[in-house]
Amino acid sequence: MPSFTWSVFDRGPTARILDLAVMCQESGGRYSLTDELAAFVRLVQSSNEAQWLCPVTTVTALLDLTAEYLERKQAELPQEFTAKLARAAGGTGGAEYLRALAGILRAIEQDTAGETAPSAGAGWDTDIRFRMLRGFYDNWIGSGEYESLEEAISAAIDSEHPFCGDFLAPVASEAESALVRLLDSADSGAGLSHTMSWATAATLTTLLDAVNGHMRHEHPDPLATPDHDHR
């Protein structure tokens, strides 16, 4: 019977943490490991889905379990994982380094409990946080196919109508979140402005107005009943 347990090491939160560690280790001091792990913690804390599926406490437990597994002489781990771990650890023992990462994450989680503002850093968390909004821009607004912003948004909405709820809901949700960040403060919107310079308050407002207007006028409330007194 085939075993799929290696997926614990070569994908998911353990691999994501090591990717960040490698990025920082090989950045020549450009990126701080603490800052990037703080961005990871805030990303998880700001998502109900992530908190439900794999909270930070589970991530740290996986790192500790992997360290224990590494210390067993009979342990066999995917070669890609051990190579990535060696790059991240920079000469430190693999098990020791994994436990150190778990400790840093626990400390950050205690310090950032309840915070949702993204920390300064590489900006990878912005790409993930606004994945649907970025895709919407790339496919419709930034494609250059349409002469105006309004025309691009209208074409996108029409392409999914009348089954556009699943398409528009996450885009509108991320657009509203992005708009709030931009209007909140310069620090709050800094990461967004750096990685998604097109996402201005005006553009996001136009997008939200178009989505809200479409849903109000083209999707009447299915629970509404006719007013028999004004027929």
Coordinates of all heavy atoms in Angstrom, one line a residue, residues 90-189:
G90 N 21.8 26.7 7.5 CA 23.1 27.4 7.4 C 24.1 26.8 8.3 O 24.9 27.6 8.9
G91 N 24.2 25.5 8.4 CA 25.2 24.9 9.3 C 24.7 24.4 10.6 O 25.4 23.6 11.3
T92 N 23.6 24.8 11.0 CA 23.0 24.3 12.3 C 22.4 23.0 12.1 O 21.9 22.7 11.0 CB 21.9 25.3 12.8 OG1 22.5 26.6 12.9 CG2 21.3 24.9 14.1
G93 N 22.4 22.1 13.1 CA 21.8 20.8 13.0 C 20.3 20.9 12.6 O 19.6 21.9 13.1
G94 N 19.8 20.0 11.8 CA 18.4 20.1 11.3 C 17.4 20.1 12.4 O 16.5 21.0 12.4
A95 N 17.5 19.2 13.3 CA 16.5 19.1 14.4 C 16.5 20.3 15.3 O 15.5 20.9 15.6 CB 16.7 17.8 15.2
E96 N 17.7 20.8 15.6 CA 17.9 22.0 16.4 C 17.3 23.2 15.7 O 16.6 24.0 16.4 CB 19.4 22.2 16.7 CG 19.7 23.4 17.5 CD 21.2 23.7 17.6 OE1 22.0 22.9 17.2 OE2 21.5 24.8 18.2
Y97 N 17.5 23.3 14.4 CA 17.0 24.4 13.7 C 15.4 24.4 13.6 O 14.8 25.5 13.8 CB 17.5 24.5 12.3 CG 17.2 25.7 11.5 CD1 17.8 26.9 11.8 CD2 16.3 25.7 10.5 CE1 17.4 28.1 11.2 CE2 15.9 26.8 9.8 CZ 16.5 28.0 10.1 OH 16.2 29.2 9.5
L98 N 14.9 23.2 13.4 CA 13.4 23.1 13.4 C 12.8 23.5 14.7 O 11.8 24.2 14.7 CB 13.0 21.7 13.0 CG 13.3 21.3 11.6 CD1 13.0 19.8 11.4 CD2 12.4 22.1 10.6
R99 N 13.4 23.1 15.8 CA 12.9 23.5 17.1 C 13.1 25.0 17.3 O 12.2 25.6 18.0 CB 13.6 22.7 18.2 CG 13.3 21.2 18.2 CD 13.7 20.6 19.5 NE 13.3 19.2 19.6 CZ 14.1 18.1 19.2 NH1 15.3 18.4 18.8 NH2 13.6 16.9 19.3
A100 N 14.1 25.6 16.8 CA 14.3 27.0 16.9 C 13.2 27.8 16.2 O 12.7 28.8 16.7 CB 15.7 27.4 16.4
L101 N 12.9 27.3 15.0 CA 11.8 27.9 14.2 C 10.5 27.8 15.0 O 9.7 28.8 15.0 CB 11.7 27.2 12.9 CG 12.8 27.4 11.8 CD1 12.5 26.6 10.6 CD2 12.8 28.9 11.4
A102 N 10.2 26.7 15.6 CA 9.0 26.5 16.4 C 9.0 27.5 17.5 O 7.9 28.1 17.8 CB 8.9 25.1 16.9
G103 N 10.1 27.7 18.2 CA 10.2 28.6 19.3 C 9.9 30.0 18.9 O 9.2 30.8 19.6
I104 N 10.5 30.4 17.7 CA 10.3 31.8 17.2 C 8.8 32.0 16.9 O 8.3 33.1 17.2 CB 11.2 32.0 16.0 CG1 12.7 32.0 16.3 CG2 10.8 33.4 15.3 CD1 13.6 32.0 15.1
L105 N 8.2 31.1 16.3 CA 6.8 31.2 15.9 C 5.9 31.3 17.2 O 5.0 32.1 17.2 CB 6.3 30.0 15.1 CG 6.8 30.0 13.6 CD1 6.5 28.6 13.0 CD2 6.1 31.1 12.8
R106 N 6.2 30.5 18.2 CA 5.4 30.6 19.4 C 5.6 32.0 20.1 O 4.6 32.6 20.6 CB 5.9 29.5 20.4 CG 5.5 28.1 20.0 CD 5.8 27.1 21.1 NE 5.4 25.8 20.6 CZ 6.2 24.8 20.2 NH1 7.5 25.1 20.1 NH2 5.7 23.7 19.8
A107 N 6.8 32.5 20.1 CA 7.0 33.8 20.7 C 6.3 34.9 19.9 O 5.7 35.8 20.4 CB 8.5 34.1 20.7
I108 N 6.3 34.8 18.6 CA 5.7 35.8 17.7 C 4.2 35.7 17.9 O 3.5 36.8 18.0 CB 6.0 35.6 16.2 CG1 7.5 35.9 16.0 CG2 5.1 36.4 15.3 CD1 7.9 35.5 14.6
E109 N 3.6 34.5 18.0 CA 2.2 34.4 18.2 C 1.7 35.0 19.5 O 0.7 35.7 19.5 CB 1.8 32.9 18.2 CG 0.3 32.7 18.2 CD -0.1 31.2 18.2 OE1 0.7 30.4 18.7 OE2 -1.2 30.9 17.7
Q110 N 2.5 34.9 20.5 CA 2.1 35.6 21.8 C 2.2 37.1 21.6 O 1.3 37.8 22.2 CB 3.0 35.1 22.9 CG 2.9 33.7 23.3 CD 3.8 33.2 24.3 OE1 4.7 34.0 24.7 NE2 3.7 32.0 24.8
D111 N 3.2 37.6 20.9 CA 3.3 39.0 20.8 C 2.3 39.7 19.8 O 2.0 40.9 19.9 CB 4.7 39.4 20.3 CG 5.8 39.1 21.3 OD1 5.4 39.0 22.5 OD2 7.0 38.9 20.9
T112 N 1.8 38.9 18.8 CA 1.0 39.5 17.8 C -0.5 39.0 17.9 O -1.3 39.3 17.0 CB 1.5 39.1 16.4 OG1 1.4 37.6 16.3 CG2 2.9 39.6 16.2
A113 N -0.8 38.4 19.0 CA -2.2 37.9 19.2 C -3.2 39.0 19.0 O -3.1 40.1 19.6 CB -2.4 37.3 20.6
G114 N -4.1 38.8 18.0 CA -5.1 39.8 17.8 C -4.8 40.8 16.7 O -5.6 41.6 16.3
E115 N -3.5 40.9 16.3 CA -3.1 41.9 15.3 C -3.3 41.3 13.9 O -3.2 40.2 13.7 CB -1.6 42.2 15.5 CG -1.3 42.9 16.8 CD 0.2 43.3 16.9 OE1 0.9 43.2 15.9 OE2 0.6 43.7 18.0
T116 N -3.7 42.2 13.0 CA -3.9 41.8 11.6 C -3.1 42.6 10.6 O -3.1 42.3 9.5 CB -5.4 41.9 11.2 OG1 -5.8 43.3 11.4 CG2 -6.3 41.0 12.1
A117 N -2.5 43.7 11.1 CA -1.7 44.5 10.2 C -0.5 43.8 9.7 O 0.3 43.2 10.5 CB -1.3 45.8 10.9
P118 N -0.2 43.7 8.4 CA 0.9 43.0 7.8 C 2.2 43.7 8.2 O 2.3 44.9 8.3 CB 0.7 43.1 6.3 CG -0.1 44.3 6.1 CD -1.0 44.4 7.3
S119 N 3.3 42.9 8.5 CA 4.6 43.5 8.8 C 5.3 43.8 7.5 O 5.1 43.2 6.5 CB 5.4 42.5 9.7 OG 5.5 41.3 9.0
A120 N 6.3 44.7 7.7 CA 7.1 45.0 6.5 C 8.0 43.8 6.2 O 8.4 43.0 7.1 CB 8.0 46.2 6.8
G121 N 8.2 43.5 4.9 CA 9.0 42.4 4.5 C 9.0 42.2 3.0 O 8.9 43.1 2.3
A122 N 9.1 40.9 2.6 CA 9.2 40.6 1.2 C 7.9 40.8 0.5 O 7.9 40.9 -0.8 CB 9.7 39.1 1.1
G123 N 6.8 40.8 1.1 CA 5.5 41.0 0.5 C 4.8 39.8 0.0 O 3.7 39.9 -0.6
W124 N 5.4 38.6 0.2 CA 4.7 37.4 -0.3 C 3.3 37.2 0.4 O 2.5 36.6 -0.3 CB 5.6 36.1 0.1 CG 5.8 36.0 1.6 CD1 6.9 36.6 2.3 CD2 5.0 35.4 2.5 NE1 6.7 36.3 3.6 CE2 5.6 35.5 3.8 CE3 3.8 34.6 2.4 CZ2 5.0 35.0 5.0 CZ3 3.2 34.1 3.6 CH2 3.8 34.3 4.8
D125 N 3.2 37.6 1.6 CA 1.9 37.5 2.3 C 0.8 38.3 1.6 O -0.4 37.8 1.6 CB 2.0 37.8 3.7 CG 2.5 39.2 4.0 OD1 3.5 39.6 3.3 OD2 2.0 39.9 4.8
T126 N 1.1 39.4 1.0 CA 0.1 40.2 0.3 C -0.3 39.4 -1.0 O -1.5 39.4 -1.3 CB 0.7 41.5 -0.1 OG1 1.1 42.3 1.0 CG2 -0.3 42.4 -0.9
D127 N 0.6 38.8 -1.6 CA 0.2 38.0 -2.8 C -0.8 36.9 -2.4 O -1.7 36.6 -3.2 CB 1.5 37.3 -3.4 CG 2.4 38.3 -4.0 OD1 2.0 39.4 -4.3 OD2 3.6 38.0 -4.2
I128 N -0.6 36.3 -1.3 CA -1.5 35.2 -0.9 C -2.8 35.8 -0.3 O -3.9 35.3 -0.7 CB -0.9 34.3 0.2 CG1 0.4 33.6 -0.4 CG2 -1.8 33.3 0.8 CD1 1.2 32.9 0.7
R129 N -2.7 36.8 0.4 CA -3.9 37.4 1.1 C -4.9 37.9 0.0 O -6.1 37.9 0.2 CB -3.5 38.6 2.0 CG -4.6 39.1 2.9 CD -4.0 40.3 3.7 NE -2.9 40.0 4.5 CZ -2.9 39.5 5.7 NH1 -4.0 39.2 6.3 NH2 -1.7 39.3 6.3
F130 N -4.4 38.4 -1.1 CA -5.2 39.0 -2.2 C -5.1 38.2 -3.5 O -5.1 38.8 -4.6 CB -4.8 40.5 -2.4 CG -5.0 41.3 -1.1 CD1 -3.9 41.7 -0.4 CD2 -6.3 41.7 -0.7 CE1 -4.1 42.5 0.7 CE2 -6.5 42.5 0.4 CZ -5.4 42.9 1.2
R131 N -5.1 36.9 -3.4 CA -4.9 36.1 -4.5 C -6.0 36.2 -5.6 O -5.7 36.3 -6.8 CB -4.8 34.6 -4.1 CG -4.5 33.6 -5.2 CD -4.3 32.2 -4.7 NE -5.5 31.7 -4.0 CZ -6.5 31.1 -4.7 NH1 -6.4 30.9 -6.0 NH2 -7.5 30.6 -4.0
M132 N -7.2 36.2 -5.1 CA -8.3 36.3 -6.1 C -8.4 37.7 -6.7 O -8.7 37.9 -7.9 CB -9.7 36.0 -5.3 CG -9.7 34.6 -4.8 SD -9.6 33.4 -6.0 CE -11.1 33.6 -7.0
L133 N -8.1 38.7 -5.9 CA -8.1 40.1 -6.4 C -7.0 40.3 -7.5 O -7.2 40.9 -8.5 CB -7.9 41.1 -5.3 CG -8.0 42.6 -5.6 CD1 -9.3 43.0 -6.3 CD2 -7.8 43.4 -4.4
R134 N -5.8 39.7 -7.2 CA -4.7 39.8 -8.2 C -5.1 39.1 -9.5 O -4.8 39.6 -10.6 CB -3.5 39.2 -7.6 CG -2.8 40.1 -6.5 CD -1.6 39.3 -5.9 NE -0.6 39.1 -6.9 CZ 0.4 40.0 -7.2 NH1 0.5 41.1 -6.5 NH2 1.2 39.7 -8.1
G135 N -5.7 37.9 -9.3 CA -6.1 37.2 -10.5 C -7.2 37.9 -11.3 O -7.1 37.9 -12.6
F136 N -8.1 38.6 -10.6 CA -9.1 39.4 -11.3 C -8.4 40.5 -12.1 O -8.8 40.8 -13.3 CB -10.1 40.0 -10.3 CG -11.2 40.8 -10.9 CD1 -12.4 40.1 -11.2 CD2 -11.1 42.1 -11.2 CE1 -13.5 40.8 -11.8 CE2 -12.2 42.8 -11.8 CZ -13.3 42.2 -12.1
Y137 N -7.5 41.2 -11.5 CA -6.7 42.3 -12.2 C -6.0 41.7 -13.4 O -6.1 42.3 -14.5 CB -5.8 43.0 -11.2 CG -4.9 44.0 -11.9 CD1 -5.4 45.3 -12.2 CD2 -3.6 43.6 -12.4 CE1 -4.6 46.2 -12.9 CE2 -2.8 44.5 -13.0 CZ -3.3 45.8 -13.3 OH -2.5 46.7 -14.0
D138 N -5.2 40.7 -13.2 CA -4.4 40.1 -14.3 C -5.3 39.7 -15.5 O -4.9 39.9 -16.7 CB -3.6 38.9 -13.8 CG -2.5 39.3 -12.8 OD1 -2.2 40.5 -12.8 OD2 -2.0 38.5 -12.1
N139 N -6.4 39.1 -15.2 CA -7.2 38.5 -16.3 C -8.1 39.5 -17.0 O -8.4 39.4 -18.2 CB -8.1 37.4 -15.7 CG -7.3 36.2 -15.3 OD1 -6.3 35.9 -15.9 ND2 -7.8 35.5 -14.3
W140 N -8.5 40.6 -16.3 CA -9.5 41.5 -16.8 C -9.0 43.0 -16.9 O -9.0 43.6 -18.0 CB -10.8 41.5 -16.0 CG -11.4 40.1 -16.0 CD1 -11.3 39.1 -15.1 CD2 -12.2 39.6 -17.1 NE1 -12.1 38.0 -15.5 CE2 -12.6 38.3 -16.7 CE3 -12.7 40.1 -18.3 CZ2 -13.4 37.5 -17.6 CZ3 -13.5 39.4 -19.1 CH2 -13.8 38.1 -18.8
I141 N -8.5 43.5 -15.8 CA -8.2 44.9 -15.8 C -6.8 45.2 -16.4 O -6.6 46.1 -17.2 CB -8.2 45.5 -14.4 CG1 -9.6 45.3 -13.7 CG2 -7.8 47.0 -14.3 CD1 -9.6 45.7 -12.3
G142 N -5.9 44.3 -16.1 CA -4.5 44.5 -16.6 C -4.2 43.9 -17.9 O -3.1 44.0 -18.4
S143 N -5.2 43.3 -18.5 CA -4.9 42.6 -19.8 C -4.7 43.5 -21.0 O -4.2 43.1 -22.0 CB -6.1 41.6 -20.1 OG -7.3 42.3 -20.3
G144 N -5.2 44.7 -20.8 CA -5.1 45.7 -21.9 C -6.2 45.5 -23.0 O -6.2 46.2 -24.0
E145 N -7.1 44.6 -22.8 CA -8.1 44.2 -23.8 C -9.2 45.3 -23.8 O -9.9 45.5 -24.9 CB -8.7 42.9 -23.5 CG -9.7 42.4 -24.5 CD -10.2 41.0 -24.2 OE1 -9.6 40.3 -23.3 OE2 -11.1 40.5 -24.9
Y146 N -9.4 46.0 -22.7 CA -10.6 46.9 -22.6 C -10.1 48.3 -22.5 O -9.0 48.6 -21.9 CB -11.5 46.5 -21.4 CG -12.0 45.1 -21.6 CD1 -11.3 44.0 -20.9 CD2 -13.1 44.8 -22.4 CE1 -11.8 42.7 -21.0 CE2 -13.5 43.5 -22.5 CZ -12.8 42.4 -21.9 OH -13.3 41.1 -22.0
E147 N -10.9 49.2 -23.0 CA -10.4 50.6 -23.0 C -10.5 51.3 -21.7 O -9.8 52.3 -21.5 CB -11.2 51.4 -24.1 CG -11.0 50.9 -25.5 CD -11.7 51.7 -26.5 OE1 -12.5 52.7 -26.1 OE2 -11.6 51.5 -27.7
S148 N -11.4 50.9 -20.8 CA -11.6 51.5 -19.6 C -11.7 50.5 -18.4 O -12.0 49.3 -18.7 CB -12.9 52.4 -19.6 OG -14.0 51.6 -19.7
L149 N -11.5 51.0 -17.2 CA -11.7 50.2 -16.1 C -13.1 49.6 -15.9 O -13.3 48.4 -15.7 CB -11.3 51.0 -14.8 CG -11.6 50.3 -13.4 CD1 -10.8 49.1 -13.3 CD2 -11.3 51.3 -12.3
E150 N -14.1 50.5 -16.2 CA -15.5 50.1 -16.1 C -15.8 49.1 -17.1 O -16.6 48.1 -16.8 CB -16.4 51.4 -16.2 CG -16.3 52.4 -15.1 CD -15.1 53.3 -15.2 OE1 -14.3 53.2 -16.2 OE2 -14.8 54.1 -14.3
E151 N -15.3 49.2 -18.3 CA -15.6 48.2 -19.3 C -15.0 46.8 -19.0 O -15.7 45.8 -19.2 CB -15.0 48.7 -20.7 CG -15.4 47.7 -21.8 CD -14.8 48.2 -23.1 OE1 -14.2 49.3 -23.2 OE2 -14.9 47.5 -24.1
A152 N -13.8 46.8 -18.4 CA -13.2 45.6 -18.0 C -14.0 44.9 -16.9 O -14.2 43.7 -16.9 CB -11.8 45.8 -17.6
I153 N -14.4 45.7 -15.9 CA -15.1 45.1 -14.8 C -16.5 44.5 -15.3 O -16.9 43.5 -14.9 CB -15.3 46.1 -13.7 CG1 -14.0 46.5 -13.1 CG2 -16.3 45.6 -12.6 CD1 -14.1 47.7 -12.1
S154 N -17.1 45.3 -16.1 CA -18.4 44.9 -16.7 C -18.3 43.6 -17.4 O -19.1 42.7 -17.3 CB -19.0 46.0 -17.5 OG -20.3 45.6 -18.1
A155 N -17.2 43.5 -18.2 CA -17.0 42.2 -19.0 C -16.8 41.1 -18.1 O -17.3 39.9 -18.4 CB -15.8 42.5 -20.0
A156 N -16.0 41.3 -17.1 CA -15.8 40.2 -16.1 C -17.0 39.7 -15.5 O -17.3 38.5 -15.3 CB -14.8 40.7 -15.1
I157 N -17.9 40.6 -15.0 CA -19.1 40.3 -14.4 C -20.0 39.5 -15.3 O -20.6 38.5 -15.0 CB -19.8 41.5 -13.8 CG1 -19.0 42.1 -12.7 CG2 -21.2 41.2 -13.3 CD1 -19.5 43.4 -12.1
D158 N -20.2 40.1 -16.6 CA -21.0 39.5 -17.6 C -20.6 38.1 -17.9 O -21.4 37.2 -18.3 CB -21.1 40.3 -18.8 CG -21.8 41.6 -18.6 OD1 -22.5 41.7 -17.6 OD2 -21.7 42.6 -19.4
S159 N -19.3 37.8 -17.9 CA -18.8 36.5 -18.3 C -19.2 35.4 -17.3 O -19.2 34.2 -17.7 CB -17.2 36.5 -18.3 OG -16.7 36.6 -17.0
E160 N -19.6 35.7 -16.1 CA -20.0 34.7 -15.1 C -21.5 34.7 -14.8 O -22.0 33.8 -14.2 CB -19.3 34.9 -13.8 CG -17.8 34.7 -14.0 CD -17.3 33.3 -14.3 OE1 -18.1 32.4 -13.9 OE2 -16.3 33.1 -14.9
H161 N -22.2 35.8 -15.3 CA -23.6 35.9 -15.0 C -24.4 34.9 -15.7 O -24.1 34.6 -16.9 CB -24.1 37.3 -15.4 CG -25.5 37.6 -15.1 ND1 -25.9 37.9 -13.8 CD2 -26.6 37.7 -15.8 CE1 -27.2 38.1 -13.8 NE2 -27.7 38.0 -15.0
P162 N -25.4 34.3 -15.1 CA -26.0 34.6 -13.8 C -25.4 33.8 -12.6 O -25.9 33.9 -11.5 CB -27.5 34.2 -14.0 CG -27.4 33.0 -14.9 CD -26.3 33.3 -15.8
F163 N -24.4 33.0 -12.9 CA -23.8 32.2 -11.8 C -22.5 32.9 -11.3 O -21.5 32.3 -11.2 CB -23.5 30.8 -12.3 CG -24.7 30.2 -13.0 CD1 -24.7 30.1 -14.4 CD2 -25.8 29.7 -12.3 CE1 -25.8 29.5 -15.0 CE2 -26.8 29.1 -12.9 CZ -26.8 29.0 -14.3
C164 N -22.7 34.2 -10.9 CA -21.5 35.0 -10.6 C -21.2 35.1 -9.1 O -20.2 35.7 -8.7 CB -21.6 36.3 -11.3 SG -23.2 37.1 -11.1
G165 N -22.1 34.6 -8.3 CA -21.9 34.7 -6.8 C -20.6 34.2 -6.3 O -19.8 34.9 -5.6
D166 N -20.2 32.9 -6.7 CA -19.0 32.3 -6.3 C -17.8 33.0 -6.8 O -16.7 33.0 -6.2 CB -19.0 30.8 -6.7 CG -20.0 30.0 -5.9 OD1 -20.4 30.5 -4.9 OD2 -20.3 28.9 -6.4
F167 N -17.9 33.6 -8.0 CA -16.8 34.3 -8.7 C -16.6 35.7 -8.0 O -15.4 36.1 -7.7 CB -17.1 34.5 -10.2 CG -16.2 35.4 -10.9 CD1 -14.8 35.1 -11.0 CD2 -16.7 36.6 -11.5 CE1 -14.0 36.0 -11.7 CE2 -15.8 37.4 -12.2 CZ -14.5 37.1 -12.3
L168 N -17.7 36.4 -7.8 CA -17.5 37.8 -7.3 C -17.3 37.9 -5.8 O -16.7 38.9 -5.4 CB -18.8 38.6 -7.7 CG -19.0 38.8 -9.2 CD1 -20.3 39.6 -9.5 CD2 -17.8 39.6 -9.8
A169 N -17.9 37.0 -5.0 CA -17.8 37.2 -3.6 C -16.4 37.3 -3.0 O -16.1 38.2 -2.3 CB -18.6 36.0 -2.9
P170 N -15.5 36.3 -3.4 CA -14.1 36.5 -2.9 C -13.4 37.7 -3.4 O -12.5 38.3 -2.7 CB -13.4 35.2 -3.3 CG -14.2 34.6 -4.4 CD -15.6 35.1 -4.2
V171 N -13.6 38.0 -4.7 CA -13.0 39.2 -5.2 C -13.4 40.5 -4.5 O -12.6 41.3 -4.1 CB -13.3 39.4 -6.7 CG1 -12.8 40.7 -7.3 CG2 -12.7 38.2 -7.5
A172 N -14.7 40.6 -4.3 CA -15.3 41.8 -3.5 C -14.8 41.8 -2.1 O -14.4 42.9 -1.6 CB -16.8 41.8 -3.6
S173 N -14.7 40.6 -1.5 CA -14.2 40.6 -0.1 C -12.8 41.1 0.0 O -12.4 41.9 0.9 CB -14.3 39.1 0.4 OG -13.8 39.0 1.7
E174 N -11.9 40.6 -0.9 CA -10.5 41.0 -0.9 C -10.4 42.5 -1.3 O -9.5 43.2 -0.7 CB -9.7 40.1 -1.8 CG -9.6 38.7 -1.3 CD -8.7 37.8 -2.2 OE1 -8.1 38.4 -3.2 OE2 -8.7 36.6 -2.0
A175 N -11.2 43.0 -2.2 CA -11.2 44.4 -2.6 C -11.5 45.3 -1.4 O -10.9 46.3 -1.2 CB -12.1 44.6 -3.7
E176 N -12.6 44.9 -0.6 CA -13.0 45.7 0.5 C -11.9 45.7 1.6 O -11.6 46.7 2.2 CB -14.3 45.1 1.1 CG -14.8 45.9 2.3 CD -15.2 47.3 1.9 OE1 -15.8 47.5 0.8 OE2 -14.9 48.2 2.7
S177 N -11.2 44.5 1.8 CA -10.1 44.4 2.8 C -9.0 45.3 2.3 O -8.4 46.0 3.2 CB -9.7 43.0 2.9 OG -8.6 42.9 3.8
A178 N -8.7 45.3 1.0 CA -7.6 46.1 0.5 C -7.9 47.6 0.7 O -7.0 48.4 1.0 CB -7.3 45.8 -0.9
L179 N -9.1 48.0 0.4 CA -9.5 49.4 0.5 C -9.4 49.8 1.9 O -8.9 51.0 2.2 CB -11.0 49.5 0.0 CG -11.5 50.9 0.0 CD1 -10.7 51.9 -0.8 CD2 -13.0 50.9 -0.4
V180 N -9.9 49.0 2.9 CA -9.8 49.4 4.3 C -8.3 49.6 4.7 O -8.0 50.6 5.4 CB -10.4 48.3 5.2 CG1 -10.1 48.6 6.7 CG2 -12.0 48.3 5.0
R181 N -7.4 48.7 4.2 CA -6.0 48.9 4.6 C -5.4 50.2 4.0 O -4.7 50.9 4.7 CB -5.2 47.7 4.1 CG -5.5 46.4 4.8 CD -4.8 45.2 4.2 NE -5.1 44.0 4.8 CZ -4.5 43.5 5.9 NH1 -3.6 44.3 6.5 NH2 -4.9 42.4 6.5
L182 N -5.8 50.5 2.8 CA -5.3 51.7 2.2 C -5.8 52.9 2.9 O -5.0 53.9 3.1 CB -5.7 51.8 0.7 CG -5.0 50.8 -0.3 CD1 -5.6 50.9 -1.7 CD2 -3.5 51.2 -0.4
L183 N -7.0 53.0 3.3 CA -7.6 54.1 3.9 C -7.3 54.2 5.4 O -7.4 55.3 6.0 CB -9.1 54.1 3.7 CG -9.6 54.2 2.3 CD1 -11.1 54.2 2.3 CD2 -9.1 55.4 1.6
D184 N -6.8 53.1 6.0 CA -6.6 53.1 7.4 C -5.4 53.9 7.8 O -5.4 54.9 8.6 CB -6.4 51.6 7.9 CG -6.1 51.5 9.4 OD1 -6.6 52.4 10.1 OD2 -5.3 50.7 9.8
S185 N -4.2 53.6 7.2 CA -3.0 54.4 7.4 C -2.0 54.1 6.4 O -2.1 53.1 5.7 CB -2.4 54.1 8.8 OG -2.0 52.7 8.9
A186 N -0.9 54.9 6.3 CA 0.2 54.6 5.4 C 0.9 53.3 5.7 O 1.2 52.6 4.8 CB 1.1 55.8 5.4
D187 N 1.1 53.1 7.0 CA 1.7 51.8 7.3 C 0.9 50.6 7.0 O 1.4 49.6 6.5 CB 2.0 51.8 8.9 CG 3.1 52.8 9.2 OD1 3.9 53.2 8.3 OD2 3.2 53.2 10.4
S188 N -0.4 50.7 7.2 CA -1.3 49.6 6.9 C -1.3 49.2 5.5 O -1.4 48.1 5.1 CB -2.7 49.9 7.4 OG -3.6 48.8 7.2
G189 N -1.3 50.2 4.6 CA -1.4 50.0 3.2 C 0.0 49.9 2.5 O 0.0 49.8 1.2

